[in-house]
Amino acid sequence: MIAYLGRRVLAVAGVLLVICAVTFIIFFVLPSDPALHACGKTCTTEQVDAVRAEMGLDRPVHEQFAGYVAKAFTGDLGYSYQNSLPVWDLLADRLPVSVSLALGAAVLWLSGGVLVGLVSALRRGTGLDRVLMAGTLASASVPVYFTAMMLLLVVVQHFELLPYPDYVAITEDPGAWAGNLLLPWLTLASLYAAMYARQTRSSMIETMGEPYIRTARAKGLPERTVVVKHGMRAGLTPIVTIFGMDLGGLLAGAVITEHVFGLPGIGQLTYDAIFKADQPVVLGVTLLAAFFITVANLVVDLVYAVIDPRVRYA
């Protein structure tokens, strides 16, 4: 196990290095000039050249990349071109918002999606199954920004059931924290829950047709035991895989949801950084997203053996 973890940690470092290199190279292919954005439109050519030299953009590309990687793996992600603040401080300031958004939505979509998919699989071919699958198809077909705007229009403006979302730290007021994030949670959950419901249904139908399920029933085990202990543990293995990927990605920011609801998270920071060609911030966010996804994959691999005994025996 220790050797396995060591190999996976090295793989994570390699993935981060490749992603960093690809993102870094893209910035030298795009025509945008970070020095011009940082200096402003009124700057002269001499002033732009001075800013470029101060940023180190006049050095060869390989020197810039080598210096960035050496600092990045020690926690130094550089400074923003726009406000000269450390990139890590900007990420740390926005991260609680994105983590709150991702975790809250994940609880909703995982519990709701798995429950709907399980009920649909156990009632396969019935009217309830068709209604549930039609609802999930409709939910998955609606764009996130449309769902967000409809929730704001109906819940906030028309019925005034909730205030317009304004992030409040959970340490300050847990009730206000949950109330202000409820609509963003529902927006993300409506999309992901639909996909999880369909995946759960498909996986459970396949699992419940396995020979060991028939054997368990032939032994006279209660149907609840057959479904929960033998069916769900194996049938939900694919759900764990996609859940790790989805949660890892959302921890680095949900750009559209944060932008529509005005939440100051990583996604909003990414949007502003791309628009202003703030290379250090974009690189920092990219590395953060890659880190979350690769770590989530590592955790998923370790959880497999707990959920499905067949993996442990293999």
Side-chain angles (χ1 to χ4, degrees), residues 109-299:
W109 89 56
L110 186 62
S111 57
V114 170
L115 179 60
V116 170
L118 181 60
V119 171
S120 184
L122 297 179
R123 297 292 184 269
R124 180 185 180 186
T126 64
L128 178 60
D129 176 29
R130 289 190 287 270
V131 170
L132 291 177
M133 287 300 99
T136 58
L137 179 61
S139 180
S141 302
V142 178
V144 172
Y145 63 85
F146 181 81
T147 303
M149 295 181 68
M150 287 298 99
L151 286 175
L152 287 175
L153 178 64
V154 175
V155 178
V156 177
Q157 296 186 12
H158 186 69
F159 291 104
E160 298 182 351
L161 298 176
L162 292 172
Y164 191 89
D166 184 18
Y167 179 75
V168 176
I170 189 173
T171 55
E172 296 179 6
D173 188 342
W177 170 80
N180 281 278
L181 287 174
L182 181 58
L183 294 185
W185 287 343
L186 291 175
T187 299
L188 288 175
S190 64
L191 173 63
Y192 285 93
M195 297 185 293
Y196 277 62
R198 301 183 73 85
Q199 179 64 46
T200 300
R201 178 183 183 274
S202 175
S203 182
M204 284 298 298
I205 289 176
E206 180 180 356
T207 300
M208 296 304 291
E210 293 288 340
Y212 70 89
I213 296 294
R214 294 195 295 270
T215 302
R217 285 172 171 160
K219 290 180 178 179
L221 294 178
E223 185 65 16
R224 179 178 179 180
T225 302
V226 174
V227 172
V228 176
K229 185 176 180 180
H230 298 281
M232 288 185 61
R233 292 186 65 179
L236 294 183
T237 301
I239 302 301
V240 175
T241 303
I242 61 175
F243 179 71
M245 293 288 292
D246 291 337
L247 181 59
L250 279 181
L251 286 174
V255 178
I256 296 177
T257 303
E258 291 182 10
H259 186 67
V260 172
F261 288 103
L263 298 174
I266 299 293
Q268 185 64 42
L269 178 66
T270 305
Y271 175 86
D272 295 337
I274 294 175
F275 181 76
K276 298 176 181 178
D278 198 340
Q279 177 183 342
V281 176
V282 175
L283 280 171
V285 171
T286 304
L287 286 176
L288 183 67
F291 173 79
F292 279 135
I293 292 175
T294 51
V295 170
N297 282 332
L298 176 59
V299 173

Side-chain angles (χ1 to χ4, degrees), residues 26-34:
I26 288 176
F27 271 91
F28 286 92
V29 176
L30 297 177
S32 179
D33 187 356

Side-chain angles (χ1 to χ4, degrees), residues 78-117:
Y79 293 83
S80 170
Y81 289 163
Q82 299 302 314
N83 49 34
S84 299
L85 294 175
V87 173
W88 178 250
D89 289 350
L90 293 175
L91 295 176
D93 184 59
R94 304 292 189 96
L95 190 57
V97 181
S98 295
V99 171
S100 298
L101 176 61
L103 293 181
V107 172
L108 293 180
W109 89 56
L110 186 62
S111 57
V114 170
L115 179 60
V116 170

